[in-house]
């Protein structure tokens, strides 16, 4: 990535999907089940996976909880909210079958999570949680947008959300729930210069004419999403490039939780450890440590310590302390990387129990994140998106906080 960023001119592309995409619907079902459990049992252990195909939703995984959840009711409510409300869409919440195959969390895993390796011998701190799995997690932030996200994924998400808005409002009544967006941005000297190409694939009723669909999607979805300063020349626009997208959702393609991890994060602009978020309670560091890493990265950039920043955390199952913490500033750091790493270690406690407490992760807040990204969500008050330590970091680094940059994304 650093070699691309250091090039004087390059293109970068990111995609998003609507809430009706079959993979994203599975993410939302898994997180809706997680939320339903956490409302009554904040200490539950949940690893909930969902799969879907024509006429069927399968819920499976490992769940240990003291509460009762009507899985079928949660599934149908989520499918209805996504928009699959009619049989002629090829999938609908009233008639889809639902199968549930859930068992308790393995006691071997629970043993390491309940009491971290550091305290297991003498039980000095019985509340110290071990990491729920091994792995590496990345956090990223940059000064391309007010929400400190890469511009390509920010625009792709806005376009996907706009697709859903015009469908739900009735402005474009022929649209159906499934859809995808993709945005290619041209960079010069490390800064976004213009939007080069846009791709939109929108599921639609069979009787809408291709010419009308293209014209109205450009006017109502694409052009309002791209700031004027980024389209000095009109981008190339591919709208339903096959000419027809009637069969979609689970009827068009099977869906599975965790298959849109790049959509969920930074659109490919940062590295990814491979673990998904949805359906996992916060003892799973795939989720909680990724949120903590974003919190660190956003505060470092907001503090003016770097304009582009990535952090990697690594964990071992049953061990509380990260095995490694590393940082990358892509040549934009205003103090040495070793000093940044020292500040991160001093001001952020990256043990699972501390992350959960600091970010309030035992609350039922997850379904709202399961479509249109977990990061950069200006529409949601997510604790890992707060820049509550930026001033502290700037002071500790001996730097003034940077002035706000021009807004590339309206609203």
């Amino acid at each position: 990535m650093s070699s691309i960023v250091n090039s004087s001119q390059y293109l970068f592309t990111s995609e998003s999907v609507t809430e009706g995409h079959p993979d994203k619907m599975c993410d939302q079902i898994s997180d809706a089940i997680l939320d339903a459990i956490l409302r009554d049992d904040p200490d539950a252990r949940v690893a909930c996976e969902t799969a879907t195909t024509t006429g069927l939703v399968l819920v499976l995984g490992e769940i240990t909880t003291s509460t009762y959840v009507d899985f079928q009711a949660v599934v149908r409510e989520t499918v209805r909210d996504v928009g699959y409300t009619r049989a002629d869409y090829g999938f609908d919440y009233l008639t889809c079958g639902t199968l549930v195959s859930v068992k308790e969390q393995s006691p071997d895993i629970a043993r390491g999570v309940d009491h971290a390796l550091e305290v297991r011998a003498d039980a000095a701190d019985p509340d110290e949680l071990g990491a729920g799995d091994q792995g590496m997690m990345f956090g990223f932030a940059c000064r391309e947008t007010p929400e400190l996200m890469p511009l390509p994924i920010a625009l792709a998400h806005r376009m996907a959300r706009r697709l859903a808005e015009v469908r739900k409002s009735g402005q474009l009544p022929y649209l159906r729930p499934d859809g995808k967006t993709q945005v290619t941005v041209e960079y010069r000297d490390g800064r976004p210069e213009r939007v080069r190409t846009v791709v939109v694939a929108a599921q639609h009723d069979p009787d809408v004419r291709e010419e009308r669909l293209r014209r109205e999607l450009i006017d109502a979805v694409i052009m309002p999403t791209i700031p004027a300063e980024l389209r000095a020349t009109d981008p190339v626009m591919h709208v339903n490039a096959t000419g027809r997208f009637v069969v979609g959702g689970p009827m068009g393609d099977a869906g599975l939780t965790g298959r849109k991890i790049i959509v969920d994060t930074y659109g490919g602009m940062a590295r990814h450890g491979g673990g998904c978020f949805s359906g996992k309670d916060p003892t799973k560091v795939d989720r909680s440590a990724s949120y903590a890493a974003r919190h660190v990265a956003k505060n470092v950039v907001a503090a003016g310590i770097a304009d582009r920043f990535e952090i990697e955390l690594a964990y071992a199952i049953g061990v509380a302390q990260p095995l490694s913490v590393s940082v990358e500033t892509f040549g934009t750091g205003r103090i040495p990387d070793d000093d940044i790493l020292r500040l991160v270690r001093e001001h952020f406690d990256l043990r699972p129990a501390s992350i959960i407490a600091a970010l309030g992760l035992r609350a039922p807040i997850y379904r709202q994140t399961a479509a249109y990204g977990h990061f950069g969500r200006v529409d949601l008050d997510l604790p890992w998106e707060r820049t509550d330590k930026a001033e502290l970091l700037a002071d500790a680094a001996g730097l003034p906080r940077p002035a706000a940059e021009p807004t590339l994304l309206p609203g």
Side-chain angles (χ1 to χ4, degrees), residues 117-402:
L117 176 67
E118 293 91 329
V119 298
R120 204 175 302 147
D122 57 10
D125 184 0
D127 294 326
E128 182 68 275
L129 297 175
D133 203 351
Q134 70 177 50
M136 59 280 192
M137 298 84 209
F138 292 89
F140 183 79
C142 62
R143 297 190 64 80
E144 294 181 11
T145 67
E147 57 264 44
L148 304 184
M149 285 288 286
L151 182 63
I153 188 65
L155 286 173
H157 281 323
R158 288 197 171 204
M159 205 167 290
R161 290 182 65 189
R162 181 64 183 162
L163 261 183
E165 289 169 5
V166 297
R167 169 178 63 87
K168 291 178 176 180
S169 69
Q171 181 178 349
L172 301 183
Y174 49 78
L175 292 182
R176 293 180 174 181
D178 199 357
K180 302 179 77 172
T181 62
Q182 186 170 285
V183 177
T184 300
V185 174
E186 180 180 324
Y187 285 77
R188 188 179 297 274
D189 299 323
R191 296 181 64 86
E193 185 167 85
R194 65 177 175 131
V195 172
R196 175 75 74 88
T197 308
V198 173
V199 180
V200 172
Q203 187 189 15
H204 58 85
D205 291 347
D207 55 352
V208 64
R209 295 177 61 85
E210 183 179 351
E211 297 81 4
R212 178 190 175 191
L213 179 77
R214 174 179 170 81
R215 181 182 70 253
E216 294 187 350
L217 284 177
I218 290 173
D219 292 344
V221 175
I222 296 177
M223 298 308 283
T225 305
I226 306 173
E229 60 267 33
L230 292 174
R231 46 181 170 87
T233 57
D234 286 341
V236 175
M237 291 178 277
H238 298 288
V239 179
N240 282 20
T242 68
R244 182 178 172 86
F245 184 8
V246 173
V247 179
M251 187 175 182
D253 192 10
L256 187 65
T257 296
R259 281 207 302 209
K260 287 292 175 283
I261 58 177
I262 299 302
V263 171
D264 287 340
T265 53
Y266 307 101
M269 187 71 79
R271 287 170 283 194
H272 198 295
C276 80
F277 302 155
S278 290
K280 296 178 179 178
D281 77 81
T283 66
K284 280 72 172 175
V285 285
D286 283 337
R287 179 166 227 158
S288 55
S290 294
Y291 290 169
R294 165 63 176 173
H295 188 228
V296 171
K298 190 170 184 181
N299 276 273
V300 167
V301 172
I305 294 173
D307 290 338
R308 191 179 206 89
F309 182 79
E310 183 183 76
I311 182 171
E312 184 203 34
L313 309 175
Y315 292 85
I317 189 168
V319 181
Q321 289 287 356
L323 305 184
S324 69
V325 181
S326 63
V327 300
E328 169 65 69
T329 62
F330 308 97
T332 69
R334 292 178 176 85
I335 62 174
D337 285 1
D338 287 346
D339 291 343
I340 299 175
L341 186 57
R342 175 181 54 80
L343 290 176
V344 169
R345 290 187 178 277
E346 288 177 358
H347 296 286
F348 297 90
D349 189 339
L350 297 171
R351 295 173 298 169
S354 299
I355 291 170
I356 291 168
L359 299 181
L361 298 184
R362 293 201 187 277
I365 58 175
Y366 296 109
R367 182 185 166 186
Q368 62 185 343
T369 68
Y372 311 116
H374 293 246
F375 306 130
R377 295 294 299 274
V378 296
D379 57 316
L380 304 175
D381 181 22
L382 300 174
W384 53 89
E385 289 296 308
R386 298 170 188 163
T387 53
D388 48 354
K389 294 195 176 185
E391 291 186 5
L392 184 65
L393 290 172
D395 291 344
L399 297 171
R401 289 193 69 191

Side-chain angles (χ1 to χ4, degrees), residues 83-96 176 251:
Y84 289 109
T85 56
R86 294 169 46 181
D88 60 354
Y89 288 176
F91 196 92
D92 79 281
Y93 77 104
L94 288 173
T95 64
C96 67
R176 293 180 174 181
M251 187 175 182

Side-chain angles (χ1 to χ4, degrees), residues 6-28:
N6 291 334
S7 302
S8 62
Q9 186 174 2
Y10 60 94
L11 302 177
F12 198 91
T13 301
S14 295
E15 73 160 353
S16 182
V17 298
T18 66
E19 61 223 61
H21 186 282
D23 292 333
K24 265 287 143 235
M25 188 172 74
C26 289
D27 287 342
Q28 291 168 89

